[in-house]
């Protein structure tokens, strides 16, 4: 099958290329626009309390005013506010209210909004928008910041704006600079590395252009599938989509180009070399892509909406990359022929690979020692995973120079830290009747008595009088670990235990959402990982026609996963002293290290199986598989790790953690697992590794392949020579 695909693409290159361009343009023009959500509660299923609160709020308080941001006024010299200063604050606030910003209902202050130490005054920015953090809300906030600073000139006062909309605006603008920097660094890195490997400007640039076409096509397919089949999708996943396409796309292109160059060196004509390359590596690329696709699709079992949205989107992107690697890539190189390698002549001669040959010799002669050392190294790193502490305080990962972060830190010196975004407590009458006012006052007192609650506002009744809403200010920042623990524990316990008779009580707001997300993530770890592991094992079994090999391969993958996570714990928690790691880091490692990194294990074990089927001894198979696969696996891993590693340039510890974990995990997978642990374990297990598909360890009668100088079975297998 792969031979036929390669023959069609190589012999009809213009038809193939034009087809890709037409499909890409059509999807861009016809596909619906993907929408994104900034509300984390949208990603939780209805069984969670914070999600139920959102529904009650929409039904009972359709015009409920939402705190969008908080303006913090203070003196330039840090002294207490004078009466004149307080009058200036009131005047400036009235002026901002008079501006009538598009998405802000009101900008108000009061004498009670001055801190107890007299050093700060607050003004509340209220919105009636369902999503005040949309672009219109951001624009209103930008204008308010500019107007406020202009009004405070020469007054001795300064202002800063914090709160939910301000935090999201600052994070978005900071990420905008970061995204541009990361994209530029990624492109430069890929171009430089490809240029260094092949010594050709064309090969350095062509993969980038082809991957850009894949990205456009994948985006259009994702949007179309979302519209037609009701799939969840989120435009905010585009950054991850780009990284996945660059990483996987470069891998598959390299697998093909290394084989293409190998056949050219053996004297084959360019077109035939391309056809044979697709024929030989096609099954391996398809199997590798299949493992990644099922791993991504495993996310549909997640209870988190953003993960369910990400899974099918990434699976579609990898599927597009697979098809492009087998059709678009050979078509493009069919047109160029050997000119693609210009000006280098290295493609004409076989280079010396001393390090790869030495690694192959050591792995084949002393498999037990190599396996013990590799396993020991991974085990030491894996121990760190037991100290993993998930962190949900994403604000702490943002640069401290952002206005909203600086202002929030100032606010906490004089006010409760939760002032910017109170938790919400709802009381709803079960029979739909009016609530008893005296019972509501008693309930308010019970909430205020909870430790670390900074204050509870008077209840606001719905128009029907059957629902009451309390704003509860915590002494901790809304997204801090202490706030999450308080809401998930003592606060919710008190709210449920002291509910007025005949009512249902619930806790919502940002902190409650994060508490529910924490519970959802733990659920996903227990479900998604095992499901995906079984699916990957099935694909490995089908590729290798074996039951034994997939078992120890998945054990090795599991060890690599924990070693990667442990490495991140050592660096960020133990060395840098951070309180916790990104709560979704295990999912990220699973997606990009386990799923994508499995490509290298598949390449190695497919080559091992092929050498064994060609009648070679186990030791010879290991030696040849390692020495011949090392250049391909090493080059692909360095590029993929570098693609993610540029995230460490970001001024955001969340992105730094993600970049380090994935980059280091990819390198571990490639150089320790794929090139050392997997072949030596195979050598130690011997012919039983291929049971029941190849019980004897020997395949059909073999002959020498003129392209590689290696013996090949007759008829040729579908395995890979990479």
């Amino acid at each position: 099958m792969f031979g036929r695909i390669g023959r069609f693409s190589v012999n009809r290159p213009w038809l193939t290329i034009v087809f890709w361009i037409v499909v890409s343009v059509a999807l861009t023009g016809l596909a619906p626009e993907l929408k994104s959500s900034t509300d984390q509660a949208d990603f939780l299923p209805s069984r969670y309390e914070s999600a139920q609160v959102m529904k009650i709020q929409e039904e009972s308080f359709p015009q409920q005013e939402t705190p969008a941001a908080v303006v913090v006024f203070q003196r330039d010299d840090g002294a207490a506010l004078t009466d004149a200063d307080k009058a200036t604050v009131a005047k400036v606030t009235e002026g901002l209210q008079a501006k009538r910003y598009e998405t802000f209902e009101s900008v108000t202050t009061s004498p009670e909004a001055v801190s107890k130490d007299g050093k700060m005054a607050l003004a509340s920015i209220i919105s009636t928008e369902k999503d005040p953090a949309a672009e219109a809300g951001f624009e209103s906030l930008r204008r308010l910041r500019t107007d406020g600073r202009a009004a405070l000139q020469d007054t001795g006062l300064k202002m800063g704006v914090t709160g939910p909309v301000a935090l999201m605006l600052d994070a978005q603008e900071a990420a905008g600079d970061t995204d541009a920097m990361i994209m530029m660094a990624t492109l430069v890195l890929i171009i430089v590395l490809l240029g260094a490997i092949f010594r050709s400007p064309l090969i350095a640039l062509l993969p980038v252009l082809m991957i850009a076409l894949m990205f456009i096509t994948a985006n259009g397919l994702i949007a179309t599938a979302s519209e037609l089949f009701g799939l969840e999708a989120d435009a905010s996943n585009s950054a991850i989509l780009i990284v996945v396409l660059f990483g996987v796309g470069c891998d598959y292109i390299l697998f093909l180009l290394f084989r293409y160059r190998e056949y050219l060196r053996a004297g084959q004509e360019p077109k035939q070399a391309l056809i044979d390359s697709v024929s030989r590596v096609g099954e391996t690329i398809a199997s590798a892509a299949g493992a990644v696709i099922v791993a991504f699709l495993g996310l549909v079992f997640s209870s988190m909406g953003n993960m369910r949205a990400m899974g099918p989107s990434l699976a579609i992107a990898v599927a597009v990359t697979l098809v492009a690697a087998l059709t678009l890539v050979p078509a493009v190189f069919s047109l160029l022929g050997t000119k693609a390698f210009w000006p280098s002549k290295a493609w004409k001669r076989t280079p010396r690979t001393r390090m790869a040959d030495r690694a192959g010799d050591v792995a084949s002669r002393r498999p037990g020692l190599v396996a013990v050392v590799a396993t020991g190294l991974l085990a030491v790193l894996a121990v760190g995973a037991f100290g993993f502490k998930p962190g949900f305080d994403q604000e702490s990962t943002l640069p401290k120079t952002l206005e909203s972060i600086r202002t929030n830190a100032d606010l906490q010196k004089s006010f409760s830290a939760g002032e910017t975004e109170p938790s919400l407590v709802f009381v709803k009458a079960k029979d739909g009747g009016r609530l008893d006012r005296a019972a509501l006052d008693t309930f308010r007192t019970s909430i205020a008595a909870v430790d670390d609650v900074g204050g509870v506002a008077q209840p606001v009744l719905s128009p029907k009088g059957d629902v009451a809403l309390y704003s509860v200010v915590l002494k901790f920042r809304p997204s801090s670990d202490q706030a999450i623990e308080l809401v998930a524990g003592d606060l919710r316990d008190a709210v449920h235990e002291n509910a007025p008779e005949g009512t249902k009580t619930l806790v919502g707001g940002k902190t409650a959402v994060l508490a529910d997300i924490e519970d959802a993530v733990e659920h996903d770890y227990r479900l998604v990982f095992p499901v995906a592991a079984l699916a990957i094992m099935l694909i490995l079994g089908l590729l290798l026609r074996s039951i034994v090999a997939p078992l120890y391969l998945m054990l090795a993958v599991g060890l690599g996963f924990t070693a990667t996570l442990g490495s991140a714990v050592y660096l960020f928690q133990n060395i840098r002293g951070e309180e916790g790691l990104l709560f979704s880091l295990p999912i990220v490692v699973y997606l990009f290290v386990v799923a994508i990194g499995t490509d290298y294990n598949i390449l190695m074990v497919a080559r091992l199986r092929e050498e064994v089927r060609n009648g070679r001894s186990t030791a010879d198979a290991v030696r040849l598989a390692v020495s011949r696969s090392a250049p391909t696996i090493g080059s692909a891993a360095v590029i993929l790790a570098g693609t993610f590693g540029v995230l460490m340039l970001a001024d955001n510890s969340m992105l730094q953690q993600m970049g380090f974990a994935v980059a280091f995990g990819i390198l571990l997978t490639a150089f320790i697992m794929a090139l050392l642990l997997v072949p030596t374990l195979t050598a130690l297990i011997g012919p039983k590794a291929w049971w029941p598909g190849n019980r004897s360890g020997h395949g059909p009668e073999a002959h020498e392949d003129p392209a590689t100088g290696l013996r090949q079975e007759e008829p040729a297998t579908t395995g890979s020579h990479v």
Side-chain angles (χ1 to χ4, degrees), residues 5 13 87 96 114 133 209 372 422 447 463-464 469 573 588 598 655 681 686:
I5 293 173
L96 295 176
V114 178
L209 297 177
V372 168
I447 301 175
K464 294 181 180 180
L469 166 62
Q573 288 183 203
V588 171
T598 300
L655 292 177
L681 285 177

Side-chain angles (χ1 to χ4, degrees), residues 57 61-66 127-129 460 469:
Q57 188 171 9
F61 299 94
Q63 297 300 319
Q64 174 62 35
E65 298 176 343
T66 303
S127 175
T128 55
E129 298 287 322
V460 177
L469 166 62

Side-chain angles (χ1 to χ4, degrees), residues 628-689:
R628 298 298 174 90
S629 302
T632 308
I633 291 176
S635 300
V638 168
I639 290 178
L640 182 58
T643 301
F644 285 94
V646 296
L647 293 174
M648 297 184 69
L649 300 174
D651 189 16
N652 181 317
S653 63
M654 178 182 67
L655 292 177
Q656 291 171 3
Q657 293 169 19
M658 188 185 303
F660 169 80
V662 176
F664 189 71
I666 290 294
L667 295 177
L668 280 180
T669 299
F671 292 100
I672 303 299
M673 288 176 55
L675 290 177
L676 296 178
L677 184 58
V678 168
T680 53
L681 285 177
T682 304
L684 292 172
I685 296 172
K688 293 179 181 178

Side-chain angles (χ1 to χ4, degrees), residues 46-368:
S46 59
R47 69 174 181 273
Y48 286 100
E49 191 169 325
S50 58
Q52 296 171 25
V53 163
M54 295 294 294
K55 184 177 181 180
I56 293 175
Q57 188 171 9
E58 290 177 1
E59 293 175 350
S60 302
F61 299 94
Q63 297 300 319
Q64 174 62 35
E65 298 176 343
T66 303
V70 175
V71 185
V72 179
F73 296 94
Q74 56 186 315
R75 289 184 59 85
D76 291 332
D77 57 11
L81 298 171
T82 66
D83 290 340
D85 293 333
K86 295 174 185 177
T88 300
V89 169
K91 181 180 178 181
V92 170
T93 302
E94 290 175 1
L96 295 176
Q97 169 66 25
K99 295 285 187 180
R100 295 292 178 184
Y101 300 103
E102 180 183 354
T103 63
F104 297 155
E105 176 70 15
S106 62
V107 184
T108 59
T109 188
S110 67
E112 292 77 23
V114 178
S115 62
K116 293 180 180 179
D117 61 11
K119 292 184 177 182
M120 291 185 192
L122 305 181
S124 298
I125 301 175
I126 303 299
S127 175
T128 55
E129 298 287 322
K130 181 179 179 181
D131 184 7
E135 182 55 39
F138 290 159
E139 182 58 32
S140 294
L141 187 59
R142 293 189 191 99
R143 289 178 51 212
L144 182 142
R145 280 174 166 171
T146 302
D147 295 340
R149 292 193 183 94
L152 288 175
Q153 284 185 356
D154 302 323
T155 63
L157 296 176
K158 63 181 179 179
M159 62 166 273
V161 184
T162 187
V165 176
L167 283 166
M168 290 184 183
L169 171 61
D170 290 346
Q172 183 189 76
E173 292 182 344
D177 296 338
T178 300
D179 287 348
M181 176 193 68
I182 289 173
M183 177 57 69
M184 183 57 64
T186 300
L187 290 176
V188 170
L189 178 71
I190 290 175
I191 290 171
V192 169
L193 289 177
L194 285 174
I197 292 169
F198 291 96
R199 302 172 193 175
S200 164
L202 275 177
I203 293 184
L205 293 172
L206 281 174
V208 174
L209 297 177
M210 287 188 283
I211 291 170
L213 188 62
M214 296 176 206
F215 173 72
I216 295 171
T217 305
N219 249 349
L221 278 176
I222 292 167
T224 303
S226 301
E227 183 76 15
L228 293 178
F229 304 108
L231 298 178
E232 293 181 277
D234 188 354
S236 61
N237 290 331
S238 61
I240 296 177
L241 196 67
I242 292 172
V243 176
V244 168
L245 281 169
F246 271 112
V248 175
C250 281
D251 269 5
Y252 298 165
I253 291 172
L254 280 175
F255 298 164
L256 189 67
L257 288 183
F258 268 88
R259 175 52 58 85
Y260 176 45
R261 189 172 65 177
E262 182 179 335
Y263 282 147
L264 288 175
R265 285 169 174 166
Q268 285 195 6
E269 290 298 319
K271 286 186 180 295
Q272 188 60 46
L274 271 173
I275 294 171
D276 289 349
S277 298
V278 176
S279 177
R280 289 305 177 98
V281 302
E283 184 181 11
T284 301
I285 292 177
S287 299
V292 178
I293 289 170
V294 297
F296 287 158
L297 288 178
L299 292 177
V300 300
F301 296 103
S302 171
S303 56
M304 295 281 292
N306 58 340
M307 290 298 171
R308 291 197 304 273
M310 186 188 300
S313 297
L314 295 180
I316 290 173
V318 174
V320 169
T321 307
L322 167 63
V323 176
L326 299 179
T327 58
L328 177 63
V329 175
V332 169
F333 282 93
S334 174
L335 290 176
L336 294 172
T338 57
K339 295 177 182 177
F341 297 97
W342 178 89
S344 173
K345 302 294 184 182
W347 64 271
K348 293 183 177 181
R349 57 185 181 274
T350 301
R352 292 184 177 182
T353 54
R354 293 178 180 176
M355 291 184 63
D357 292 342
R358 190 172 302 168
D361 288 339
V362 172
S364 63
R365 286 188 290 106
R366 309 194 69 178

Side-chain angles (χ1 to χ4, degrees), residues 20 28 39 156 210 233 253 318 338 377 431 458 475 513 526 565 681 712:
W20 271 94
T28 301
D39 193 339
M210 287 188 283
I253 291 172
V318 174
T338 57
L377 173 61
D431 60 2
Q458 290 291 337
K475 293 182 179 179
V513 169
R526 295 190 298 269
L565 197 59
L681 285 177
Q712 302 295 317

Side-chain angles (χ1 to χ4, degrees), residues 441-465:
D441 291 339
T442 303
F443 178 69
R444 176 174 176 266
T445 302
S446 68
I447 301 175
V450 176
D451 290 341
D452 295 320
V453 168
V456 183
Q458 290 291 337
V460 177
L461 290 175
S462 65
K464 294 181 180 180

